[in-house]
Amino acid sequence: MDTVEDKVIRIIADQALLDPSDVTPASTLAELGIDSMALVETIFAIEETFDVSVPFNANEPAASQFDISSVGSIIAAVEDLVAARA
Amino acid sequence: MKRVVITGAGTINALAHDVKGTFEAFREGRCGITELDIRDKDRLSIQIGGQVHDWDPEARFNRQQIALYDKFTQFTLLAGREAVAQSGLNFDGRLSYEAGVVLGTAAGGVNTWDDNYRTVYEEGKNRVHPFVVPKLMNNAAASHLSMEFNLKGPSFTVATACASSNHAMGQAFHMIRSGMTQVMLTGGSESMLCFGGIKAWEGLRVMSRDACRPFSLNRNGMVQGEGAAIFVFEEHEHARARGAEILAEVVGFAMTSDASDIVMPNKQGAARAIAGALRDARLNGDEVGYINAHGTGTAANDKTECAAVADVFGPHADRLMISSTKSMHGHLIGGTGAVELLACIMALRDGVIAPTIGYEEPDPECALNVVPNVARDAKVKVALSNAFAFGGLNAVLALKRA
């Protein structure tokens, strides 16, 4: 079965129009060309895929509890949300 | 005052996905109204419409664009590309600041409302796609058109129900005539053929279950359509200096309000708008050869419209030709005046008058020359396009042969 990491990378790769192999936990969203519109679509896709609610406010991304500083931080945050749900 | 000419036209509607095909259909008197192909059709009592078939957005737009473009925006962009290509204009330089967009739509992204209401009400989900608002807003099409062509001047959307496109084109005309802008993309778009969009119209009990037969004694209501038409309006000297082909000149516009009823038409309001357009264009009534009627196929509209025309033109009302192309493409609501302006351009330019099809029995209350069923060849110098909206808001454009 796909891990949370696999699925998150696939979502981000899909938004960045890249192959999943080009997206690593160390990548930042800016490096991948994810703009603010693609970011809200990414968050929507994460919520739909994992049936979670992501605490993200597009007005103040930095102040959100959801850490988007890198792909790895997003994966970790999603893992926490999935664990909290279970 | 500047003169205003049309140097580009584009459309997608039930008859064709371009102007050439639409003109062919007008000439042949072809009907674009078919059985609807939409979700939950079995729960509708109205099952026909002027629907755009074989529409493949993936062939025209990429995935990110489709995530942002409701169907009414997609239709607008397709028609806009055709119009701009024909005009030969390029908005890379200074012209971009002197060019804008005014579009008409009655309801904007109805399919987006409909799809997302299903998501939250029918499917019980608690979240919708992040782009619902920018996709459904009434000005989305105007904004995307401005982005596609780099138009940085005055741009907005007009919503006056069934007169939206005529009001929009009237604004574009005024802006160029007054010297405010050099070029305007204008026209309108509507895409209401979805379950909720048709259900709402069913409620009014003015819809036909079989055909749109304007002016015919046995008419039994309107038929909805969808699509868009976009025009390039350009200041005359600007067009002439670059040797552009001129499709027609826009010479007059008038708008009135009935101030009487939210749905019933009013002869005086309609007549004042028609007479106002003639006055604005400094034309005599007997110079008008063709009127593209509002002609919805409802009992109330058609007899009121004919009475208004008779009042304004007197004996000449029996000599001019008046037809309703809604019989072929359906009523595009906020986009209808734009598609219908094509019939005026065809009359002026090609000398072919689009017919009123589905005409079966003369109605003594609509006893004008309605060009029944078969197109007619005629040399026309001036054409009018009528639009009379719910809410009693009337808008009439006057066009002259180039």
Side-chain angles (χ1 to χ4, degrees):
Chain A
M1 217 177 82
D2 285 350
T3 62
V4 168
E5 175 170 334
D6 295 336
K7 288 180 182 170
V8 169
I9 283 183
R10 212 158 40 235
I11 287 167
I12 292 172
D14 197 40
Q15 284 299 327
L17 303 178
L18 293 170
D19 191 87
S21 63
D22 293 328
V23 177
T24 68
S27 314
T28 66
L29 297 184
E31 281 164 16
L32 299 172
I34 301 266
D35 63 9
S36 63
M37 295 284 271
L39 175 60
V40 290
E41 282 206 276
T42 302
I43 293 198
F44 174 70
I46 287 171
E47 290 183 324
E48 289 287 287
T49 304
F50 297 101
D51 191 22
V52 295
S53 181
V54 174
F56 175 79
N57 182 343
N59 292 305
E60 290 186 283
S64 301
Q65 294 153 37
F66 192 74
D67 182 357
I68 56 162
S69 52
S70 70
V71 172
S73 73
I74 294 174
I75 293 166
V78 174
E79 282 168 348
D80 288 348
L81 289 169
V82 171
R85 194 198 59 193
Chain B
M1 288 211 299
K2 311 281 188 186
R3 288 172 65 188
V4 181
V5 295
I6 303 176
T7 55
T11 189
I12 174 165
N13 61 73
L15 295 169
H17 294 195
D18 60 11
V19 171
K20 185 168 171 279
T22 302
F23 281 177
E24 277 166 21
F26 281 169
R27 277 195 291 267
E28 293 165 11
R30 197 190 312 145
C31 186
I33 293 166
T34 63
E35 279 282 303
L36 286 167
D37 174 18
I38 60 166
R39 191 171 161 190
D40 290 339
K41 190 185 89 173
D42 51 322
R43 287 179 53 212
L44 292 168
S45 58
I46 302 302
Q47 307 219 333
I48 58 168
Q51 189 173 9
V52 171
H53 294 290
D54 305 316
W55 175 237
D56 179 15
E58 280 81 15
R60 307 283 185 168
F61 307 107
N62 67 37
R63 195 192 61 178
Q64 283 114 318
Q65 290 173 319
I66 289 170
L68 276 167
Y69 298 170
D70 181 272
K71 211 185 218 183
F72 94 104
T73 298
Q74 297 175 12
F75 288 160
T76 301
L77 289 169
L78 185 85
R81 288 171 183 177
E82 184 185 5
V84 172
Q86 181 178 32
S87 76
L89 281 168
N90 172 306
F91 301 96
D92 288 344
R94 190 177 55 88
L95 183 60
S96 79
Y97 297 98
E98 298 176 344
V101 187
V102 187
L103 297 186
T105 186
V110 181
N111 277 276
T112 300
W113 285 107
D114 207 49
D115 290 345
N116 288 283
Y117 277 154
R118 281 184 188 280
T119 303
V120 293
Y121 294 146
E122 186 176 314
E123 295 163 26
K125 293 179 80 167
N126 284 325
R127 106 174 40 93
V128 295
H129 190 276
F131 301 162
V132 171
V133 167
K135 199 171 172 183
L136 63 76
M137 61 192 191
N138 276 26
N139 61 311
S143 296
H144 285 298
L145 208 51
S146 77
M147 287 184 256
E148 174 116 352
F149 294 107
N150 194 38
L151 310 172
K152 296 179 174 168
S155 298
F156 57 94
T157 294
V158 176
T160 48
C162 310
S164 302
S165 282
N166 273 20
H167 276 110
M169 294 188 287
Q171 295 314 301
F173 168 58
H174 281 169
M175 286 178 169
I176 297 173
R177 187 163 75 167
S178 70
M180 189 192 295
T181 56
Q182 295 279 346
V183 176
M184 295 298 292
L185 295 201
T186 187
S189 177
E190 201 76 67
S191 174
M192 225 185 261
L193 294 181
C194 56
F195 184 78
I198 294 166
K199 202 39 112 180
W201 277 100
E202 279 182 4
L204 275 166
R205 307 289 198 278
V206 294
M207 309 287 285
S208 170
R209 288 162 197 261
D210 51 13
C212 176
R213 297 187 199 86
F215 309 119
S216 186
L217 185 63
N218 62 342
R219 66 185 179 277
N220 59 4
M222 53 176 272
V223 174
Q224 275 176 270
E226 66 176 353
I230 302 293
F231 301 91
V232 177
F233 281 17
E234 184 171 356
E235 195 276 317
H236 177 250
E237 282 307 311
H238 190 274
R240 219 177 49 113
R242 64 188 190 87
E245 187 192 355
I246 292 170
L247 305 179
E249 179 171 358
V250 188
V251 288
F253 174 62
M255 39 190 168
T256 62
S257 173
D258 299 338
S260 58
D261 193 279
I262 197 69
V263 290
M264 287 306 286
N266 172 305
K267 185 180 78 166
Q268 285 77 26
R272 284 191 298 119
I274 297 168
L278 293 175
R279 215 167 34 243
D280 187 49
R282 295 189 171 83
L283 290 166
N284 290 320
D286 59 10
E287 293 176 89
V288 175
Y290 171 63
I291 300 175
N292 185 283
H294 191 55
T296 55
T298 60
N301 175 83
D302 295 3
K303 68 177 181 202
T304 307
E305 183 167 14
C306 289
V309 168
D311 272 12
V312 172
F313 292 94
H316 183 64
D318 296 323
R319 289 192 291 270
L320 58 78
M321 289 171 283
I322 175 168
S323 72
S324 170
T325 51
K326 286 187 178 76
S327 54
M328 292 181 265
H329 50 63
H331 190 336
L332 279 77
I333 318 294
T336 211
V339 171
E340 291 164 27
L341 200 73
L342 291 168
C344 292
I345 292 174
M346 186 174 84
L348 296 169
R349 210 165 158 252
D350 303 343
V352 180
I353 309 298
T356 304
I357 69 164
Y359 186 85
E360 292 171 349
E361 278 178 70
D363 177 353
E365 290 196 274
C366 302
L368 298 176
N369 182 357
V370 299
V371 196
N373 300 318
V374 180
R376 203 167 300 168
D377 292 326
K379 226 171 154 54
V380 171
K381 193 180 119 193
V382 175
L384 300 186
S385 185
N386 287 347
F388 309 129
F390 273 0
L393 308 185
N394 312 299
V396 177
L397 285 156
L399 263 57
K400 202 169 180 177
R401 193 167 62 220

